[in-house]
């Protein structure tokens, strides 16, 4: 482990303590398919979920929120308008915004919505799979071509591996710098960058993509962690908490010969039991 990697891990104890003490009011405009899991994940990590998207109350909600999470997983015209109102208010109140661009690159509506949000508002953190991140890179001119994702799932040709880790790290760093945001690309190996520091996180379990909403849950807890700390350290704690909870949930499932339904429950259980000692001792990170 390098000195810089050790310094990142040294911050985890204070960061997690701040997150739990802040109990960030996490305003989510999220995917209706996964809204219950998102709320429970926020509660488990130490945040306070607030699900609101009616235009009449959004300015009031954003004004008191510690963070705004935008998830484009199930778009409608009314929801898009609500996202714009919320982002405009969040920028006025200096409230951090976490964007989950679910399925960007697949349809023109998702492309247009994502690009509108990125171009017109200050986004604090973008969390998506690597296909979604590459689609954004193409939309803003950082990448010439990108693969089309399989619905909301990553394209198999984009999956981050040890062989393509450096190239993907360079791309994500360049994109983070261009957009002046923190980017978290999740997958078998996760990559986190603020345009200066780029970190690979090699934790997690291959059962995580087999439950609906694991990515939406992650984006929601990124919101709570960013709202309770800062974009880079908060995002690192969020991805480590999610990944290590996934590892522990898988071990419990295998021990009891259970399946994905039990895995989903254990995942939230272990998010709730997250502590800094476990995150530090069980993390597998590398600065690129």
């Amino acid at each position: 482990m390098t000195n810089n990697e050790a310094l990142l891990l040294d911050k985890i104890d204070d960061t997690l303590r701040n997150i739990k003490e802040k109990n960030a009011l996490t305003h989510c405009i999220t995917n209706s398919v996964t809204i219950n899991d998102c709320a429970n994940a926020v509660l488990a990590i130490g945040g306070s979920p607030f699900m609101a998207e009616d235009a009449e109350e959004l300015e009031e909600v954003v004004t008191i929120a510690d963070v705004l999470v935008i998830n484009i997983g199930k778009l409608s015209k009314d929801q898009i308008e609500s996202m714009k109102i919320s982002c405009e208010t969040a920028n006025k109140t200096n409230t951090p915004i976490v964007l989950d661009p679910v399925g960007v690159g697949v349809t023109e509506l998702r492309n247009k919505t994502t690009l509108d949000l990125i171009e017109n508002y200050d986004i604090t953190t973008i969390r998506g799979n690597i296909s979604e991140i590459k689609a954004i890179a193409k939309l803003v001119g950082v990448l010439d071509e990108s693969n089309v994702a399989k619905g909301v799932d990553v394209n198999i040709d984009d999956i981050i591996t040890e062989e393509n880790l450096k190239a993907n790290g360079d791309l994500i760093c360049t994109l983070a710098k261009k957009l002046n945001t923190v980017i978290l690309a999740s997958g078998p190996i996760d990559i986190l960058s603020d345009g200066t520091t780029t970190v690979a996180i090699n934790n997690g379990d291959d059962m995580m993509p087999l439950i609906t909403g694991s990515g939406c849950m992650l984006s929601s807890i990124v919101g709570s962690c960013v709202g309770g700390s800062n974009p880079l350290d908060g995002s690192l704690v969020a991805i480590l908490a999610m990944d290590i909870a996934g590892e522990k949930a898988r071990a419990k499932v295998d021990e009891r010969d259970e399946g994905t339904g039990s895995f989903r429950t254990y995942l939230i259980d272990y998010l709730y039991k997250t502590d800094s000692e476990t995150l530090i001792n069980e993390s597998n990170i590398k600065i690129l």
Side-chain angles (χ1 to χ4, degrees):
M1 180 181 297
T2 68
N3 287 338
N4 287 336
E5 289 161 358
L7 287 172
L8 275 179
L9 294 180
D10 284 344
K11 296 180 183 178
I12 285 177
D13 188 50
D14 286 341
T15 301
L16 186 60
R17 185 184 304 110
N18 290 339
I19 289 164
K20 292 184 179 296
E21 287 178 355
K22 181 69 176 275
N23 185 225
L25 183 60
T26 307
H27 173 206
C28 300
I29 299 179
T30 191
N31 187 341
S32 61
V33 176
T34 62
I35 192 168
N36 183 65
D37 285 337
C38 291
N40 280 317
V42 166
L43 285 168
I45 202 65
S48 177
F50 199 119
M51 292 2 199
E53 60 180 71
D54 192 288
E56 289 189 22
E57 65 173 350
L58 287 175
E59 289 188 17
E60 295 173 89
V61 173
V62 176
T63 299
I64 63 170
D66 295 301
V67 64
L68 168 65
V69 179
I70 298 288
N71 178 308
I72 71 165
K74 192 172 180 294
L75 284 174
S76 67
K77 289 182 179 179
D78 287 344
Q79 193 184 59
I80 292 170
E81 184 59 28
S82 295
M83 291 173 179
K84 292 178 179 179
I85 293 170
S86 296
C87 286
E88 183 175 351
T89 306
N91 282 173
K92 288 178 181 177
T93 57
N94 293 317
T95 303
I97 301 172
V98 174
L99 172 64
D100 184 343
V102 180
V104 65
V106 178
T107 71
E108 285 304 312
L109 178 62
R110 291 172 192 254
N111 291 349
K112 183 179 184 302
T113 301
T114 300
L115 196 56
D116 282 350
L117 294 175
I118 289 172
E119 288 184 339
N120 293 306
Y121 307 102
D122 293 328
I123 306 298
T124 310
T125 304
I126 299 173
R127 200 298 308 170
N129 66 44
I130 187 61
S131 292
E132 292 161 348
I133 299 304
K134 285 186 174 181
I136 291 173
K138 181 182 177 184
L139 288 173
V140 300
V142 170
L143 196 63
D144 291 333
E145 294 293 336
S146 65
N147 295 311
V148 177
K150 182 184 178 182
V152 300
D153 297 320
V154 67
N155 186 300
I156 192 170
D157 294 328
D158 289 333
I159 291 174
I160 301 171
T161 65
E162 289 291 348
E163 288 71 28
N164 62 30
L165 182 59
K166 185 179 185 307
N168 279 310
D170 289 345
L171 171 66
I172 291 166
C173 180
T174 300
L175 183 61
K177 190 175 298 184
K178 179 180 177 67
L179 299 181
N180 191 29
T181 189
V182 168
I183 292 180
L184 173 58
S186 54
I189 302 175
D190 309 294
I191 301 176
L192 172 66
S193 181
D194 63 357
T196 301
T197 300
T198 303
V199 188
I201 302 100
N202 200 351
N203 288 97
D205 188 84
D206 60 8
M207 190 172 275
M208 294 173 76
L210 301 181
I211 61 168
T212 299
S214 58
C216 300
M217 291 163 65
L218 173 57
S219 295
S220 297
I221 68 171
V222 166
S224 295
C225 293
V226 168
S229 57
N230 64 70
L232 185 67
D233 294 334
S235 296
L236 180 61
V237 164
I239 187 61
L240 285 174
M242 188 72 169
D243 281 354
I244 292 171
E247 292 172 355
K248 291 183 176 296
R250 177 59 180 270
K252 181 71 75 174
V253 163
D254 288 348
E255 175 190 329
R256 299 188 176 187
D257 193 26
E258 295 171 329
T260 54
S262 298
F263 177 85
R264 172 177 166 270
T265 299
Y266 294 140
L267 181 63
I268 294 176
D269 285 347
Y270 284 112
L271 278 173
Y272 173 75
K273 296 176 73 173
T274 295
D275 63 87
S276 56
E277 183 178 359
T278 300
L279 296 187
I280 293 167
N281 291 337
E282 300 191 20
S283 67
N284 184 2
I285 70 169
K286 176 171 66 175
I287 291 182
L288 300 178

